[in-house]
């Protein structure tokens, strides 16, 4: 087992004074690929947002250790600069800033250095080619007028450009047709191949996993991790659903 890039210890999280996570324990090794699955309302997205430091999600107990440092309660921008990335289920539109300028600014904030334009331009073009994105999207306002598939591709484009140590992908493949899901999967595969970072993939579908080697699968239900296993657990969920695991957890 590699050294852990992320350790979530007994994490309890409130949203609007209601406890959603009831003591979650989870660890992700450096360079590993983990999958987080579970029924609707289990708290999967809450875990991602809480780990990333979203102020709407109040950590009331437990801790989050990232790359050896306790980041519990730290602001999102500081966590992002440390090398964590979170994609959104529903990416927001940001009028007035282009996709290209957004990514370039994020890179400069992360590194603390000026990014040379031509180096950035070449890297951006290569990443967009991987995702089969029309180059014109780089000069359009971030996500404004983008289709659902293009918004998800823009998220993976940011992943490829920012090269985080850990990427949390929150249902990135939801709502995508077969071709778009395959393209997003290729982008995630390129991140693993070129960067070698760790992945925590929150998903109901397994299309995004087709090109990846899954190390650990976690099942989250009712705010707790109730089962862990290897990639075979994904196949078991696909075949039989969550009911057997929920029943076992209630005993």
């Amino acid at each position: 087992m590699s050294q852990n890039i992320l350790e979530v210890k007994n994490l309890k999280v409130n949203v609007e004074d209601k406890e959603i996570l009831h003591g979650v324990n989870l660890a992700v090794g450096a360079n590993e690929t983990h999958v987080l699955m579970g029924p609707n309302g289990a708290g999967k997205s809450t875990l991602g947002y809480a780990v990333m430091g979203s102020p709407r999600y109040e950590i009331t107990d437990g801790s989050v250790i990232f790359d050896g440092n306790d980041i519990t309660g730290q602001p999102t921008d500081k966590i992002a600069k440390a090398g964590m990335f979170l994609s959104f289920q529903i990416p927001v539109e940001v009028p007035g800033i282009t996709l290209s300028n957004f990514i370039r600014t994020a890179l400069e904030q992360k590194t603390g250095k000026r990014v040379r334009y031509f180096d950035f331009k070449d890297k951006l073009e290569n990443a967009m080619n991987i995702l089969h994105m029309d180059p014109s999207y780089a000069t359009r306002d971030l996500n404004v007028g983008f289709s659902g598939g293009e918004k998800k591709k823009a998220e993976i484009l940011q992943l490829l450009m920012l090269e985080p140590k850990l990427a949390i992908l929150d249902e990135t493949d939801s709502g995508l047709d077969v071709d778009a899901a395959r393209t997003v999967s290729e982008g995630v595969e390129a991140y693993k191949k070129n960067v070698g970072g760790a992945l925590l993939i929150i998903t109901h579908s397994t299309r995004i996993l087709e090109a990846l080697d899954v190390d650990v699968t976690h099942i989250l239900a009712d705010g707790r991790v109730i089962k862990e296993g290897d990639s075979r657990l994904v196949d078991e969920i696909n075949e039989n659903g969550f009911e057997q695991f929920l029943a076992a957890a209630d005993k």
Side-chain angles (χ1 to χ4, degrees), residues 96-112:
I97 181 170
T98 66
L99 174 60
S100 174
N101 285 339
F102 176 82
I103 295 174
R104 189 178 180 191
T105 300
L107 271 171
E108 291 179 341
Q109 289 293 315
K110 178 187 174 186
T111 62

Side-chain angles (χ1 to χ4, degrees), residues 1-247:
M1 178 69 71
S2 58
Q3 181 180 358
N4 291 330
I5 189 73
L6 176 69
E7 296 180 32
V8 176
K9 301 179 179 179
N10 193 39
L11 196 69
K12 297 182 180 179
V13 175
N14 283 9
V15 178
E16 298 178 353
D17 297 324
K18 179 181 179 180
E19 188 170 275
I20 305 299
L21 300 183
H22 312 301
V24 170
N25 292 283
L26 182 149
V28 178
N31 308 320
E32 290 183 346
T33 297
H34 287 228
V35 178
L36 181 64
M37 304 183 75
N40 291 330
K44 302 183 297 297
S45 294
T46 294
L47 177 61
Y49 283 112
V51 167
M52 195 68 199
S54 173
R56 181 169 178 260
Y57 299 81
E58 179 190 4
I59 296 176
T60 59
D61 196 9
S63 61
V64 180
I65 309 299
F66 176 60
D67 201 19
N69 299 305
D70 191 337
I71 61 168
T72 313
Q74 290 189 5
T76 299
D77 64 324
K78 187 172 182 179
I79 295 172
K81 288 176 183 177
M84 191 184 298
F85 175 91
L86 172 67
S87 73
F88 295 101
Q89 277 192 49
I90 305 175
V92 297
E93 297 184 0
V94 185
I97 181 170
T98 66
L99 174 60
S100 174
N101 285 339
F102 176 82
I103 295 174
R104 189 178 180 191
T105 300
L107 271 171
E108 291 179 341
Q109 289 293 315
K110 178 187 174 186
T111 62
K113 300 177 182 179
R114 185 75 174 171
V115 176
R116 292 182 50 173
Y117 173 73
F118 288 105
D119 292 341
F120 171 78
K121 184 173 180 290
D122 288 344
K123 185 175 180 180
L124 184 66
E125 288 179 355
N126 290 334
M128 294 185 80
N129 285 336
I130 291 172
L131 296 169
H132 312 295
M133 291 185 72
D134 187 319
S136 66
Y137 279 89
T139 58
R140 292 175 57 176
D141 287 358
L142 179 61
N143 292 327
V144 176
F146 287 24
S147 68
E150 295 299 342
K151 287 180 179 180
K152 296 300 181 72
K153 288 182 183 180
E155 293 279 288
I156 301 304
L157 180 65
Q158 295 167 47
L159 170 68
L160 293 174
M161 293 295 292
L162 293 172
E163 300 182 344
K165 299 173 185 176
L166 168 68
I168 302 173
L169 306 183
D170 188 6
E171 298 197 25
T172 302
D173 54 348
S174 67
L176 299 182
D177 61 31
V178 173
D179 291 335
R182 184 179 297 112
T183 298
V184 165
S185 179
E186 289 172 358
V188 176
E189 182 184 15
Y191 163 75
K192 285 295 293 183
K193 179 180 178 180
N194 299 331
V195 180
L199 286 169
L200 177 59
I201 300 174
I202 301 169
T203 185
H204 284 290
S205 169
T206 56
R207 290 180 298 179
I208 198 172
L209 307 177
E210 290 175 359
L212 300 172
D213 294 323
V214 174
D215 295 292
V216 181
T217 304
H218 313 265
I219 299 177
L220 188 72
D222 192 27
R224 296 180 177 86
V225 175
I226 62 170
K227 180 74 175 179
E228 292 182 333
D230 56 21
S231 60
R232 290 171 293 183
L233 185 55
V234 173
D235 297 330
E236 194 171 347
I237 293 168
N238 283 334
E239 185 174 348
N240 301 312
F242 296 109
E243 193 61 40
Q244 60 177 317
F245 305 110
L246 299 176

